Amino acid sequence: MKHSAVKFDTACIHAGQAPDKLFGGVSVPIYQSSTFAFEDADQGAARFSGKDDGYKYTRIGNPTTAVLENCIAELEGGAAGLATATGMSAISTVFMTFLGAGKHAISTGSVYGPSRTLLENELGRFGVESTFVDTSDAQNVKTAIKSNTALIYIETPANPTLSITDIVAVAKIAKEAGIPLVVDNTFCSPLLQKPLKLGADIVLHSMTKFINGHSDVVAGIVVAKNLELRSKMHKVLCQMGGTIDPHQAWLVLRGVKTLALRVKSAQASAMRLAEELEKHPKVEWVKYPGLKSHPQYELAKKQMEGPGAMISFEVKGGVKAGKTVMDSVNLSTLAVSLGGIESLIQHPASMTHAGMGAVARAEAGISDGLIRFSVGCEDFEDIKADLWQALDKI
Ligand code: LCS
């Protein structure tokens, strides 16, 4: 059943799902089976030739996984989803589908560290070229296009600078040049931003973050604007083997039911926290799309349905003072990842973005003192009291 007519919060609970046909289970059954029996040899052959669309083998497709794919595709307003074992598996599937020896990719300078190093270091070994620019100025994307550019891959808001790229403007440039545009929408979740509606061809997520939301699963998804693109990426995924496990897919289906509730709650706290942090005497600067001080505040208001739950800030006293804060929080957890129900704090320069090197970090605006805070769903007063006592320790 399509749920596109209902509100987003409703779709989180029902999209792609119906009571199980066998016993009426309200929760989607977990088809924890690696393989599927054929009635006879002809049926097996028909499944492999594509004449029969029944299931064959879980690396290629699974009923539980299909429900999750349909659910997220509906939430993103796309034609079809392709769930993957991790967010990086979604990203590598996209890169392996559109890039190859002699091809060129353009990406956001401060894209998630491993997305950048995958392009530069790993695909670079196979003859893929990549250029990283500040995509918050769409003109930089246009200038970077070469005759062999085969992919424009942006992340907005970017991790961890929270820099915002104008999806409509970049989509126009990509379309004129006939290059596919892929957007990593992890920081927003489909609640806050719908890149396909803004002109992107493909949107992807680390579902490890807001979509699952409980810091207990790693998973990813790619949602395509049409079935042809999904089919191209599916072939690559099946061969690369980064398929999601059905139990993991079921856990994400469980998590996504509360996506709207969680993100709205965390976002409300993040807005208040960012405003108060900006006034705190020990804080040098705060970057949050909901603050007027954010360089793309107006664009964020236009393109996103809310500023989200991620805040970056720097305390006075640089890295040493930042370490004191991270070592002094009690309620928030010093850990990488984001988008969980619990507040998480981390230091990108020595953790998530350490691999990209100091020069690339400086160019991308990831300062050594930047602290990233993923606001959770704890009571606002508790989150604030914990962070404030940590700031007092500086
Ligand atoms: N895209 C973004 C924007 C991310 O933040 C991450 C992970 C990924 C893709 C990759 O997803 P994964 O394979 O981990 O599911 N970001 C992390 C972070 O900032 N801290 O730890 C992981």
Side-chain angles (χ1 to χ4, degrees):
M1 191 206 292
K2 279 267 170 206
H3 292 88
S4 39
V6 300
K7 299 268 190 276
F8 188 90
D9 300 40
T10 311
C12 287
I13 299 165
H14 295 288
Q17 295 163 62
D20 136 59
K21 289 202 182 82
L22 212 52
F23 299 111
V26 168
S27 167
V28 171
I30 309 172
Y31 281 92
Q32 195 70 35
S33 184
S34 60
T35 194
F36 296 85
F38 308 133
E39 278 167 15
D40 53 34
D42 282 344
Q43 189 188 50
R47 289 200 181 169
F48 275 91
S49 72
K51 284 192 193 117
D52 175 334
D53 64 3
Y55 291 97
K56 316 183 262 284
Y57 185 57
T58 282
R59 178 159 48 74
I60 303 169
N62 175 284
T64 310
T65 303
V67 174
L68 174 64
E69 292 174 337
N70 292 338
C71 171
I72 308 298
E74 271 195 54
L75 296 182
E76 280 288 1
L82 185 62
T84 56
T86 62
M88 284 315 300
S89 163
I91 293 162
S92 55
T93 299
V94 164
F95 291 173
M96 293 298 287
T97 303
F98 296 100
L99 298 170
K103 303 257 195 228
H104 172 243
I106 299 169
S107 186
T108 305
S110 74
V111 73
Y112 175 55
S115 303
R116 179 168 177 148
T117 47
L118 172 61
L119 267 177
E120 274 185 324
N121 302 354
E122 313 313 333
L123 295 187
R125 292 189 285 120
F126 297 93
V128 173
E129 268 186 276
S130 44
T131 305
F132 297 88
V133 294
D134 176 3
T135 54
S136 71
D137 179 350
Q139 206 49 42
N140 290 337
V141 175
K142 194 166 186 173
T143 309
I145 293 177
K146 305 206 273 187
S147 58
N148 58 343
T149 305
L151 180 70
I152 298 175
Y153 177 71
I154 61 171
E155 192 178 289
T156 180
N159 180 2
T161 59
L162 295 164
S163 175
I164 291 170
T165 298
D166 187 336
I167 300 174
V168 171
V170 175
K172 190 164 171 275
I173 291 166
K175 200 166 183 191
E176 275 165 16
I179 303 165
L181 171 64
V182 180
V183 179
D184 184 332
N185 199 24
T186 299
F187 265 42
C188 278
S189 89
L191 172 70
L192 303 181
Q193 182 168 271
K194 296 198 180 54
L196 298 176
K197 296 208 167 132
L198 300 172
D201 300 290
I202 291 166
V203 57
L204 64 83
H205 287 271
S206 163
M207 297 197 293
T208 312
K209 320 296 187 227
F210 291 101
I211 289 182
N212 179 61
H214 291 77
S215 306
D216 52 8
V217 170
V218 285
I221 196 157
V222 181
V223 177
K225 70 171 182 188
N226 61 40
L227 295 178
E228 195 190 330
L229 283 174
R230 197 264 185 196
S231 163
K232 258 179 138 173
M233 293 187 287
H234 179 237
K235 275 197 196 107
V236 173
L237 177 67
C238 290
Q239 277 146 194
M240 295 288 291
T243 314
I244 194 170
D245 177 81
H247 186 255
Q248 185 189 355
W250 181 85
L251 283 167
V252 179
L253 271 169
R254 188 182 208 258
V256 76
K257 286 183 191 290
T258 55
L259 172 68
L261 294 170
R262 287 183 282 103
V263 173
K264 283 179 196 174
S265 161
Q267 175 174 259
S269 295
M271 186 69 233
R272 289 175 69 188
L273 202 66
E275 277 169 351
E276 299 200 24
L277 267 177
E278 205 168 39
K279 288 183 242 150
H280 196 289
K282 301 248 171 94
V283 173
E284 190 76 47
W285 54 259
V286 181
K287 194 113 177 261
Y288 179 66
L291 292 177
K292 290 212 172 81
S293 57
H294 189 290
Q296 293 100 31
Y297 170 74
E298 291 300 333
L299 172 62
K301 261 209 314 203
K302 194 170 83 180
Q303 161 167 303
M304 295 158 63
E305 282 168 48
M310 298 298 299
I311 301 174
S312 286
F313 66 97
E314 187 160 330
V315 288
K316 289 178 183 159
V319 180
K320 189 165 173 278
K323 272 191 182 155
T324 303
V325 173
M326 287 183 284
D327 288 340
S328 305
V329 287
N330 297 317
L331 178 70
S332 298
T333 306
L334 175 57
V336 297
S337 201
L338 58 107
I341 197 140
E342 59 290 281
S343 295
L344 300 173
I345 193 165
Q346 72 111 1
H347 179 232
S350 67
M351 297 172 190
T352 48
H353 292 69
M356 66 193 265
V359 175
R361 271 200 309 277
E363 273 171 21
I366 307 169
S367 60
D368 284 347
L370 186 154
I371 294 174
R372 194 189 72 187
F373 198 80
S374 172
V375 181
C377 296
E378 301 93 344
D379 186 277
F380 169 75
E381 296 300 341
D382 291 331
I383 301 172
K384 182 184 162 187
D386 181 49
L387 190 56
W388 260 236
Q389 66 77 30
L391 287 164
D392 284 346
K393 301 261 163 60
I394 295 173

